[in-house]
C-alpha cells in the first residue's frame, strides 16, 4: 500500500496487480505485470508511491515504475545475491535506501538513489536463523530485524554503507514474524510464533526494555501495526482474528475489539487512515477493509440497504425493543 493509501499492490502467483483504493469500498483494478512464471514474494512501495520493489522465487530484486499505475514498467532486476529465499523488503522514509531479509540469515542494504540501478551497500550478519521482518525507524536511522533465532536486532544505519549493531531484544519464546515502529519511533511492536505480541521501549538505545505483552491470539501472530496517532495498535494471526488494542499506556495494553475474519488466516495488517480504517490480507489472496468508527460502519451499512426495516420485521426479530430503525426511510 502506498503511504497515502490510494494505491494497493497485490501479489498473485507470478503477477503483481495494482488497485485504485481512493474509495476503499469500491476498489478499482488498474494495471498488472507478470514475472514470467516466477512466483512473487514480498513487495513494497517507495514512500512517494512511484516505484514498487519486489522479490521473487529467483531471488532477484525487481523495481517497477508505477507512476502510471495502468502501465507498470520494469526498471531493473539485479540478483540480490541472497543464497536463500527473500522474506521481506523495507524502504527508508526518504526512498533512497532499502533492506532485504532472507532465510540465508542475512540482511542486505540497497542504494535506491537510482531505482534503475540499485546496488548493495552493506550485508548485515548476526542472526542465527532465518531473518524475517525488517523495518526502518520513522527517522531512518535505525533498522529492526526479527529472526527465527527468537531475537530482534536493532542496527544503526545512519551510514548504510557501514551499518552497526546497537541492541538485541530478547523475550519471545519462538520465531519473530512481524515488526512495527510507533509513529514517534520510541516504541517497537513485535509479533511471534509464541502467540503473543510485545511492546518494547527503544527510546534510550542501547538500553531497550520490554514494556507490555498483547496476548489474545490462539496461534502465530503474523502481522502488527500502529495507527497513525500511535494510541492504538492492531495484531492479526493464523487464528483468523484481528485484535485492536489501546496502547496509550504501553505497560498496560488493553483490548478494544476482537474481530473474526470469515476467510481464515490473516497474514498482514495496515492502517489506512487516522480514523481507524485498516486493511488486512488473508492467506487466500483476499483483502478486507475494516472500519472501527461505529458511526461510519452504520452509515456504510445503511448505504447498502434499499429500504429500512419494517415495523413487522422489527417486532419479529426484536420483540422486546421499541421500534427504532437504525437507517432512515428513503424517499
Amino acid at each position: 500500500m502506498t503511504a497515502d493509501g490510494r494505491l494497493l499492490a497485490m501479489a498473485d502467483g507470478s503477477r503483481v496487480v495494482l488497485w485504485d483504493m481512493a474509495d476503499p469500498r469500491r476498489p478499482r483494478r488498474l494495471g498488472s505485470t507478470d514475472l514470467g512464471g516466477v512466483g512473487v514474494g514480498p513487495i513494497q512501495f517507495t514512500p512517494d508511491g512511484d516505484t514498487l520493489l519486489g522479490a521473487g522465487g529467483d531471488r532477484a530484486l525487481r523495481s517497477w515504475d508505477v507512476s502510471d499505475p495502468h502501465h507498470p514498467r520494469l526498471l531493473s532486476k539485479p540478483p540480490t545475491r541472497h543464497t536463500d529465499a527473500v522474506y521481506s523488503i523495507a524502504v527508508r522514509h526518504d526512498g533512497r535506501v532499502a533492506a532485504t531479509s532472507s532465510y540465508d540469515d542475512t540482511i542486505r542494504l540497497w542504494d535506491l538513489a537510482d531505482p534503475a540501478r540499485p546496488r548493495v551497500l552493506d550485508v548485515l550478519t548476526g542472526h542465527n536463523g532465518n531473518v524475517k521482518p525488517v523495518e526502518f525507524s520513522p527517522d531512518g536511522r535505525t533498522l529492526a530485524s526479527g529472526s527465527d533465532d527468537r531475537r530482534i536486532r536493532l542496527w544503526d544505519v545512519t551510514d548504510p554503507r557501514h551499518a552497526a549493531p546497537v541492541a538485541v531484544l530478547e523475550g519471545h519464546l519462538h520465531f519473530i514474524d512481524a515488526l512495527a515502529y510507533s509513529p514517534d519511533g520510541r516504541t517497537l511492536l513485535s509479533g511471534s510464533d509464541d502467540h503473543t505480541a510485545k511492546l518494547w521501549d527503544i527510546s534510550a538505545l542501547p538500553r531497550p526494555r520490554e514494556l507490555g505483552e498483547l496476548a489474545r491470539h490462539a496461534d502465530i501472530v503474523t502481522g502488527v501495526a500502529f495507527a497513525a496517532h500511535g494510541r492504538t495498535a492492531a495484531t492479526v494471526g493464523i487464528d483468523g482474528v484481528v485484535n485492536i488494542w489501546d496502547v496509550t499506556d504501553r505497560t498496560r495494553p488493553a483490548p478494544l475489539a476482537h474481530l473474526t475474519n470469515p476467510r481464515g488466516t490473516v497474514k498482514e495488517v495496515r492502517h489506512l487512515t487516522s480514523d481507524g480504517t485498516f486493511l488486512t490480507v488473508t492467506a487466500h489472496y483476499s483483502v478486507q477493509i475494516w472500519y472501527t468508527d461505529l458511526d461510519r460502519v452504520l452509515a456504510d451499512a445503511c448505504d447498502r440497504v434499499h429500504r429500512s426495516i419494517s415495523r413487522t420485521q422489527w417486532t419479529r426479530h426484536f420483540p422486546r425493543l421499541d421500534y427504532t430503525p437504525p437507517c432512515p426511510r428513503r424517499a
Side-chain angles (χ1 to χ4, degrees), residues 17-77:
V17 182
L18 300 175
W19 294 83
D20 180 351
M21 299 295 291
D23 181 353
R25 294 178 298 176
R26 298 175 180 82
R28 186 167 56 93
R29 181 169 172 154
L30 301 173
S32 65
T33 185
D34 196 289
L35 275 63
V38 175
V40 182
I43 50 179
Q44 183 66 50
F45 285 100
T46 54
D48 61 9
D50 288 340
T51 305
L52 179 68
L53 303 179
D58 58 0
R59 301 196 291 273
L61 180 65
R62 287 171 170 81
S63 301
W64 293 276
D65 179 347
V66 291
S67 54
D68 177 359
H70 292 277
H71 303 98
R73 180 172 59 90
L74 182 65
L75 297 173
S76 63
K77 59 170 186 177

Side-chain angles (χ1 to χ4, degrees), residues 68-220:
D68 177 359
H70 292 277
H71 303 98
R73 180 172 59 90
L74 182 65
L75 297 173
S76 63
K77 59 170 186 177
T80 60
R81 305 201 184 281
H82 281 297
T83 58
D84 209 329
V86 178
Y87 186 89
S88 65
I89 300 172
V91 182
R92 200 171 70 180
H93 70 284
D94 60 2
R96 297 179 64 86
V97 178
T100 55
S101 66
S102 171
Y103 279 13
D104 66 6
D105 303 357
T106 72
I107 303 157
R108 290 176 181 263
L109 297 178
W110 295 82
D111 181 352
L112 294 183
D114 181 355
R117 295 178 178 81
R119 60 187 181 89
V120 175
L121 294 170
D122 199 0
V123 179
L124 283 56
T125 60
H127 281 295
N128 296 310
N130 301 330
V131 185
K132 289 181 172 176
V134 284
E135 289 289 337
F136 284 98
S137 60
D139 64 7
R141 298 172 64 88
T142 308
L143 180 77
S145 60
S147 168
D148 284 356
D149 65 10
R150 308 179 185 184
R151 296 178 176 88
I152 300 164
R153 290 184 176 270
L154 300 177
W155 311 82
D156 181 347
V157 291
T158 306
D159 180 354
R161 295 167 300 177
H162 304 286
V166 176
V168 178
L169 283 58
E170 297 181 285
H172 278 295
L173 303 178
H174 218 307
F175 304 159
I176 312 299
D177 300 287
L179 294 171
Y181 278 93
S182 61
D184 63 7
R186 298 172 61 86
T187 307
L188 188 70
L189 177 59
S190 58
S192 169
D193 271 37
D194 66 10
H195 306 181
T196 72
K198 291 181 181 291
L199 291 162
W200 307 85
D201 179 358
I202 53 171
S203 62
L205 295 178
R207 295 179 298 280
R209 62 188 180 95
E210 183 178 335
L211 293 172
E213 182 175 278
L214 293 64
R216 290 186 73 199
H217 286 276
D219 211 319
I220 297 168

Side-chain angles (χ1 to χ4, degrees), residues 299-313:
D300 186 60
C302 290
D303 283 345
R304 293 171 182 267
V305 299
H306 299 291
R307 59 183 179 180
S308 182
I309 185 172
S310 69
R311 185 178 292 275
T312 301
Q313 291 170 323

